[in-house]
Amino acid sequence: MANTSLTTHDTPQHEFYASCPEGFETALADELRGMGLRQVRPLKGRVVFAGSPADAERACLWSRLASRIFVVLGRFACANAEDLYEATHSIAWERILRAGATIAVTARGTNDELRNSHFAALRVKDALCDRMLEVEGRRPNVDTDDPDARISLTLRGNRASIQLDLSGDPLFKRLPREATRTHAVHVLRPDYAALACAQGNWQEICSTALTNTKDAMGDEDTAAPTDGSASADGNVLAGSTAERPTPTLPVLIDACCAGGGVVLEAASILADRAPGLERRNWGFQSWSEHDAAAWRELLDEADRRAELAKGRVARIVATDPSGDAVACARRILKAAGLADRVIFAQPDLDKISRKLMMPACCGGEPCGFVFLDTTETAISKMSRVLDLATSLHAGACGADPVRAMLSTMPTVALTRDDLLIRALGEPARSLRVMPNNEEAELAVFSAANGAISAGEGNVAAEDSMPAEDAVESSVAPSPATTLIDLGDGKPCPVLIPESEQFARRLRKVAKLRRKWAQREGVTCYRVYDADLPDYSAAIDLYEGSATTPGHWLVIAEYAAPREVDPALAEARLLDILTLAPRILQVDPDNVFAKARIRSRGGSQYGKQAGGTSPSGQHGKGGKPRGGRGGSASNRPSQGAGSGTPSDIRTRRLPLIEEGGLTFAVNFNDYLDTGIFLDHRITRGLVREHARGKRFFLNLFAYTGTATCYAADAGVEETVTVDLSNTYLDWAERNMEQNGFVGPDHHYVRADVMSWIRDMRQTRNRWDLIFCDPPTFSNSSKMGRRTWDVQRDHVELLVGLSRLLSREGEAIFSCNLRTFRPDIEELARAGVVLTDITDETIPEDFARNKKIHHCYLVKRYTSEEAMRRVGMSEDAIRERTRELREASARKPADTKRFRR
C-alpha cells in the first residue's frame, strides 16, 4: 500500500514506534514506508518512525502488521527510583493528556535498583499524578481495566523511556465477533494473516487491480491512482505516479483455510478496507495533540478508497478438508461483510480450477499465490492437504491456462514441521514466527516454473532483523515427493520413496484379510498391524450396516523408538494416511488417525480434542488395540465431529454389525470408537457362558457391548456399571437398538471398586461377570484414589469373586502388555485364574499376541484354590491357621439389588 504522509514542514515532529511480534519487523517497516512515513527503522520487536500526530493516526488506521503504535514522551537516565520519579515528574503531562482522561501505567524491564516492574509503574503513576495535582489542581483517575490513556515505561539497564499508547486495544483485535466465539476450528490472528499476505505481495498485486477493473468498465474518469491513495479533493497525492502499471487479476488460493483468517484479511486488502475503520475507541483520543478534523479527513479518505475498490475483480478461492472449517470461514466472512469476495471449493484441483475460470472481459494478468496453514491441521487430514498442495504447486503446462497459471504462483505456508518441505522442496525464504506462542515457520516456496513472488525483497533489506530470524535460499527448490503406481492407473505422490514397499505389503495383506473376513462373516477387522517395522501402525477397517452403509478406516501409529527422527516418523505416517484409503478404497473423509497421551483428568477411555492435542486414558502397553492404547502426536489427530458426546443416545452415528448384533460407533469425539475389535472372540465367549444363566454383571462396561451379547444369550437380568454417564448412555443405546429394553436391564454410574465394596454388603450375586478395566485411571470422579490394573487387580478380582453365585464365574481381561497376575495372593483369597488369552486372540490380531490378556475367574475355598495353583502344603496349613484365627465376618445385609 503506497500512501503518502500528511506531514507538512509546520507540523511538529514526534518519535513513534510500532510494536510487533518478532519476525514481523521487515514487513512492518515496508508497510510503514508504503504509507509515506519517514525515518523508518526496524528494530527487534518494533519499528521506529518519525512524523506528525496525523502520521501516527494514519498508521493506527491502516497498519495490518503492527500490534500497537506508541509516541515516545521522553528518554532519560534512570539508575534508581528517585531518578525515575524526577524524570517522570518533569514531563509536561498537562500538555500531553486530554483533560479528564483516565490513566493506567505499565512497566517492562528492570535494573539493579528497580527490580520490580510493578513498583516502577507505581513510581511513574505517582510522579504523573503529583505533577497534575501541582499544575492542574487535580489528580487524574486511574482505571486499570479500561483507561483512556495507557502509559508504559521501558527500562533497559540505566536508560528508560516513557511512551503513550495511541492504539488502545491491540490493532490485531479486529476480527468480527463471530470469529471470537468458541469454534471447533482455528482462526489465524489477523496480523499473522496479514504477514502471510505480505509474503505473497498481495497488497501490491491488489493495488493495480482497481485500474484494471475501471479500464474494463470503461470508466476512466473515476479510476484511482495506481497506489490506491487520493487526497481529500480526489487528486493524486504527491508520490504517486500518473503512469498506470500493468493491470493484474489478483488470485489467491487458500488450500487449508481453517477458520478463514487469511482469506478474510486478503478480502479486506482487496476491498481496500482500512483495518481500523470500524474501531470507535482509540488511545490517541486521550492525547492533547489529537486533531479531530484531521482524523475525520483520514476516515473520509478511507471511505473513498473502499468505495473505489468495490469494482475490483479478483479470485480468492478457499478450501479445507474439514467441512467444519469451511462452515466457520463462511460465517466469519459473512459477519465481516466480505462473503462476496471469496469463493469456496472442494479440496480438489479440478474443482478449484473451475472456480478460477476468469471472465474474458477481465483482461488482467493473473498474479497471486497459494497459501496453506497446517499448524492446526489434523494428522488424518494432512495427506489430503499435502496432495492438494503438491498439485497446486506443480500446476501444469499445455492447453489448460488455469493450471499453467498455477505453475507461475509461489506457495506461502505457515507450518510447524518439515512435511511441506518434503512435499515441495526447500523454500526460497522463510521467517520464524510464534503464532499462539508456539514456534512456526512462514515459508515461501518458489513457483514450479522457478519464479519467486515480487515480495522477495521483503526479507533482504539491509536494516532488517538479524540473519537468524530470516532464512533465504537462492537455490531453486525441487519437489521432494515420489510418485508410485498403485495399479489403478493413477500415480500416488508419497513423501518417502520406501513407502512403495508399504503399499505393496498393504495390498497383499488387505487381499488376504478380505477373503478371511468374508469367510468368517466379519465386517470390522484389523487389516494391517505393523507388518513392516518402519511403518509401525495399525489399520482397522469398519463396514457400516445396511442402515448406515459405508466404510471407515482408523489408523493408529505405534510409538516410534527414540532413535527414530520424529519428522521421518511423521512423514511415514502421512504416507500411510495417503496410501491406505487408495488401496482399501475408502473415502479419505472417512479416515481417522488416533493419537494418545495420558490426560490430567484421567478419563477412563479418553475424549478426543478438536484442533488440540488429544487427551485421554491409554494402556501402558503402548499398542493400539482396536482403538485403545497407542502413541502421542504433536498435532491434532482429528477434528471433533458434529454434535457432542452428551447427546450420544440421539445423535446420528455409524452403525456396524458383529455377531448378529448392531453397535453404534463414534470415530470423531473419542480416542476409542465404541467397540474393541480385539475382543470379538471374547464377546462371543461371554455369549456362550451366559447361556442358561440368570444374572449378568458388566464392570468397567464402556459402551456395553458385552452386555448386549449376554442379553442375546437370554439372561434374565443385566447390570452395567461404569463411571461415565456418556458411556452408560451409549450402552443403553446399544441395548435398545438390539431390542433389549425393560426394567430388568440396569445402568449404574459408579466407581467400580467402591460399588463392589457396597455390593458385598448385600445379598446381590451374579452368575456371570465380565470385567475389562482400563490400565490406568486418575479420573477426578474417583476422588483422591487412582486406578492401576497391575497394582489393584488382586483387590478387584477378590472383590468381584465375592459377588459370584455358588456356580458363578467371571471373565477378566486387561490390555497391559506386561500384566502379571499375582496367582498365589489370589489363591490365598480363594480365587483361581485360568489363562484363556490364546484362544481369545482373533486371527486379524495374531501378529500382536499381547494385545490383551484374558482369564476365567472362579472361586473356591482357600485350601482348594492354593492346591489348584500348586502351592505347598506348608503354605496351605499356614493359610488355614490364619483363617481360623480371623474374626468372624459381619452379618450380610438382606437387601437385594432391585430384584
Side-chain angles (χ1 to χ4, degrees):
M1 178 174 60
N3 292 304
T4 301
S5 171
L6 298 182
T7 301
T8 68
H9 295 295
D10 297 328
T11 306
Q13 297 295 292
H14 294 275
E15 178 188 352
F16 303 98
Y17 72 84
S19 64
C20 64
E22 290 189 30
F24 282 55
E25 296 88 353
T26 301
L28 175 55
D30 289 342
E31 180 187 54
L32 296 178
R33 291 190 188 100
M35 297 179 193
L37 303 182
R38 298 178 299 173
Q39 301 178 37
V40 176
R41 185 163 59 96
L43 301 173
K44 187 173 184 179
R46 58 181 178 158
V47 177
V48 300
F49 62 96
S52 69
D55 291 329
E57 292 175 16
R58 175 182 288 276
C60 288
L61 179 63
W62 283 100
S63 180
R64 298 179 181 274
L65 297 169
S67 298
R68 295 178 184 271
I69 306 295
F70 295 89
V71 56
V72 178
L73 304 177
R75 298 183 185 277
F76 47 88
C78 181
N80 51 46
E82 185 178 351
D83 291 345
L84 178 59
Y85 182 91
E86 293 298 330
T88 304
H89 189 273
S90 67
I91 297 175
W93 294 102
E94 68 278 5
R95 295 202 297 266
I96 294 173
L97 299 178
R98 173 179 54 80
T102 59
I103 66 167
V105 181
T106 59
R108 294 183 60 188
T110 59
N111 61 22
D112 293 340
E113 294 294 326
L114 294 167
R115 294 188 290 264
N116 185 294
S117 59
H118 181 64
F119 171 75
L122 286 176
R123 294 304 291 158
V124 170
K125 186 265 295 180
D126 290 343
L128 186 159
C129 291
D130 290 348
R131 166 85 184 209
M132 293 291 284
L133 181 61
E134 294 171 9
V135 177
E136 298 287 334
R138 58 179 177 78
R139 295 169 61 93
N141 291 326
V142 175
D143 183 352
T144 56
D145 294 327
D146 187 23
D148 298 321
R150 300 174 189 268
I151 298 152
S152 66
L153 166 72
T154 302
L155 278 173
R156 291 187 178 90
N158 290 335
R159 296 293 300 174
S161 66
I162 292 180
Q163 42 274 334
L164 175 65
D165 180 1
L166 303 180
S167 310
D169 287 334
L171 297 178
F172 55 73
K173 286 192 173 182
R174 57 179 184 269
L175 285 172
R177 182 173 298 180
E178 175 66 28
T180 62
R181 296 175 181 170
T182 302
H183 288 287
V185 294
H186 161 67
V187 181
L188 188 63
R189 209 172 77 178
D191 52 344
Y192 283 90
L195 182 64
C197 291
Q199 297 307 299
N201 206 30
W202 184 247
Q203 183 79 56
E204 183 175 341
I205 292 170
C206 290
S207 70
T208 59
L210 181 59
T211 302
N212 177 33
T213 303
K214 294 301 181 179
D215 287 344
M217 296 173 63
D219 186 1
E220 295 291 344
D221 294 334
T222 59
T226 57
D227 62 5
S229 62
S231 63
D233 58 2
N235 295 323
V236 177
L237 293 169
S240 63
T241 59
E243 183 180 353
R244 295 172 183 266
T246 303
T248 60
L249 181 71
V251 177
L252 188 154
I253 303 170
D254 192 341
C256 192
C257 70
V262 166
V263 291
L264 174 64
E265 195 70 13
S268 177
I269 293 171
L270 176 67
D272 208 12
R273 179 185 292 182
L277 191 60
E278 300 299 322
R279 182 180 293 209
R280 293 295 173 260
N281 297 317
W282 294 92
F284 57 69
Q285 291 169 338
S286 67
W287 190 20
S288 62
E289 295 193 40
H290 167 60
D291 184 340
W295 174 244
R296 184 67 256 170
E297 288 183 13
L298 287 173
L299 294 178
D300 291 343
E301 177 195 340
D303 289 336
R304 287 194 299 273
R305 287 176 55 170
E307 185 66 27
L308 289 171
K310 283 184 177 179
R312 287 181 173 176
V313 175
R315 284 292 185 273
I316 301 177
V317 179
T319 187
D320 196 280
S322 167
D324 289 340
V326 171
C328 177
R330 287 182 183 274
R331 291 195 302 269
I332 291 173
L333 285 163
K334 182 178 180 181
L338 293 168
D340 60 332
R341 296 282 187 171
V342 180
I343 304 169
F344 286 89
Q346 294 295 318
D348 177 81
L349 179 60
D350 290 334
K351 293 177 180 178
I352 292 174
S353 297
R354 286 197 289 271
K355 297 290 185 180
L356 287 173
M357 292 299 182
M358 316 301 176
C361 63
C362 177
E365 177 183 352
C367 187
F369 66 100
V370 176
F371 178 75
L372 301 100
D373 175 7
T374 65
T375 56
E376 301 293 335
T377 302
I379 189 69
S380 60
K381 304 290 187 184
M382 273 300 295
S383 59
R384 295 189 69 188
V385 172
L386 292 179
D387 185 39
L388 179 59
T390 304
S391 301
L392 290 169
H393 186 70
C397 298
D400 188 338
V402 173
R403 297 199 181 191
M405 175 200 69
L406 291 175
S407 67
T408 68
M409 293 170 57
T411 297
V412 179
L414 184 63
T415 181
R416 291 196 176 101
D417 49 47
D418 68 347
L419 294 175
L420 280 170
I421 294 176
R422 289 180 177 273
L424 306 181
E426 287 294 328
R429 64 182 187 273
S430 64
L431 292 172
R432 296 183 181 93
V433 292
M434 293 282 291
N436 299 323
N437 291 320
E438 296 183 63
E439 291 187 3
E441 183 177 9
L442 186 61
V444 180
F445 298 88
S446 300
N449 66 2
I452 303 178
S453 79
E456 182 177 7
N458 287 347
V459 185
E462 293 182 1
D463 54 359
S464 64
M465 287 304 300
E468 63 267 18
D469 290 326
V471 181
E472 186 165 357
S473 172
S474 60
V475 180
S478 57
T481 53
T482 301
L483 295 177
I484 63 175
D485 183 11
L486 299 181
D488 57 1
K490 298 179 181 178
C492 182
V494 293
L495 300 173
I496 309 295
E498 292 76 15
S499 295
E500 185 171 6
Q501 183 181 2
F502 164 77
R504 289 198 298 267
R505 179 67 181 179
L506 182 58
R507 284 196 301 182
K508 178 180 178 180
V509 297
K511 183 178 180 180
L512 295 174
R513 197 72 72 217
R514 189 180 299 112
K515 291 181 178 180
W516 164 83
Q518 291 174 349
R519 184 172 65 252
E520 298 293 329
V522 175
T523 59
C524 303
Y525 54 91
R526 179 153 293 181
V527 180
Y528 174 92
D529 198 0
D531 297 45
L532 300 179
D534 287 344
Y535 292 82
S536 187
I539 302 176
D540 296 333
L541 175 66
Y542 291 76
E543 180 181 340
S545 67
T547 306
T548 58
H551 291 82
W552 296 265
L553 289 182
V554 175
I555 300 177
E557 182 187 24
Y558 292 115
R562 291 184 178 181
E563 60 269 17
V564 175
D565 179 8
L568 178 60
E570 189 170 23
R572 287 171 176 160
L573 177 59
L574 262 294
D575 281 351
I576 293 174
L577 292 167
T578 299
L579 294 166
R582 286 278 300 271
I583 294 171
L584 299 174
Q585 299 179 348
V586 174
D587 188 331
D589 286 337
N590 291 346
V591 178
F592 300 85
K594 301 291 182 177
R596 296 164 183 278
I597 59 176
R598 181 173 296 179
S599 69
R600 292 181 182 178
S603 62
Q604 238 174 28
Y605 305 101
K607 180 180 177 181
Q608 180 122 317
T612 58
S613 298
S615 64
Q617 184 53 49
H618 75 293
K620 288 183 180 178
K623 293 284 187 177
R625 56 164 290 191
R628 191 188 309 192
S631 62
S633 171
N634 63 350
R635 67 164 66 244
S637 62
Q638 189 74 22
S642 58
T644 62
S646 60
D647 61 2
I648 198 74
R649 293 191 59 187
T650 57
R651 64 184 294 190
R652 178 173 174 80
L653 292 173
L655 301 179
I656 57 104
E657 294 179 349
E658 181 192 90
L661 300 170
T662 302
F663 302 105
V665 289
N666 183 344
F667 301 112
N668 282 308
D669 298 313
Y670 290 88
L671 299 175
D672 301 304
T673 63
I675 188 168
F676 298 133
L677 299 184
D678 63 301
H679 266 334
R680 187 185 310 115
I681 294 177
T682 308
R683 285 185 288 272
L685 196 65
V686 168
R687 178 155 49 193
E688 291 178 14
H689 284 252
R691 289 194 173 98
K693 302 290 197 303
R694 296 182 63 193
F695 306 118
F696 173 77
L697 172 62
N698 189 356
L699 300 175
F700 300 101
Y702 189 34
T703 59
T705 53
T707 306
C708 292
Y709 271 79
D712 190 56
V715 297
E716 295 180 11
E717 182 179 294
T718 66
V719 178
T720 302
V721 184
D722 199 276
L723 191 57
S724 166
N725 282 322
T726 297
Y727 289 120
L728 286 174
D729 287 344
W730 200 334
E732 190 168 1
R733 170 179 174 157
N734 281 334
M735 289 283 283
E736 289 176 353
Q737 65 194 11
N738 286 287
F740 306 127
V741 296
D744 293 329
H745 301 294
H746 313 288
Y747 306 90
V748 180
R749 179 193 176 277
D751 170 34
V752 169
M753 299 300 290
S754 299
W755 188 84
I756 288 176
R757 286 193 292 271
D758 292 342
M759 287 299 103
R760 289 180 65 176
Q761 306 305 314
T762 72
R763 297 183 62 186
N764 293 314
R765 297 298 180 262
W766 285 268
D767 302 319
L768 178 63
I769 299 175
F770 178 69
C771 182
D772 181 27
T775 295
F776 175 86
S777 180
N778 61 350
S779 173
S780 60
K781 298 176 183 178
M782 298 168 60
R784 294 184 177 181
R785 191 176 63 81
T786 63
W787 162 262
D788 184 294
V789 71
Q790 184 63 66
R791 181 192 68 201
D792 301 325
H793 74 278
V794 172
E795 180 186 358
L796 171 66
L797 292 174
V798 171
L800 71 82
S801 73
R802 278 24 180 194
L803 300 182
L804 290 171
S805 61
R806 185 178 299 275
E807 300 299 326
E809 59 184 351
I811 299 174
F812 170 75
S813 175
C814 78
N815 73 313
L816 175 61
R817 290 171 57 83
T818 58
F819 179 70
R820 295 291 181 270
D822 192 336
I823 298 296
E824 293 190 357
E825 187 64 27
L826 287 167
R828 286 169 57 83
V831 178
V832 175
L833 302 185
T834 302
D835 192 340
I836 58 171
T837 300
D838 288 343
E839 59 189 86
T840 63
I841 303 296
E843 180 175 331
D844 50 326
F845 288 85
R847 289 183 55 84
N848 185 8
K849 294 291 187 179
K850 295 183 179 181
I851 188 70
H852 68 239
H853 299 271
C854 195
Y855 305 88
L856 283 179
V857 183
K858 290 192 175 182
R859 182 182 178 186
Y860 302 89
T861 65
S862 295
E863 293 87 346
E864 184 179 358
M866 294 173 73
R867 287 192 177 94
R868 282 179 174 270
V869 301
M871 295 179 68
S872 68
E873 289 299 320
D874 289 342
I876 294 174
R877 283 193 293 271
E878 176 64 21
R879 178 58 176 163
T880 301
R881 184 185 63 80
E882 291 175 358
L883 292 175
R884 285 174 180 172
E885 294 176 355
S887 59
R889 295 174 181 266
K890 294 181 179 180
D893 195 340
T894 59
K895 290 188 297 182
R896 188 69 179 163
F897 183 80
R898 295 182 65 183
R899 296 185 190 142

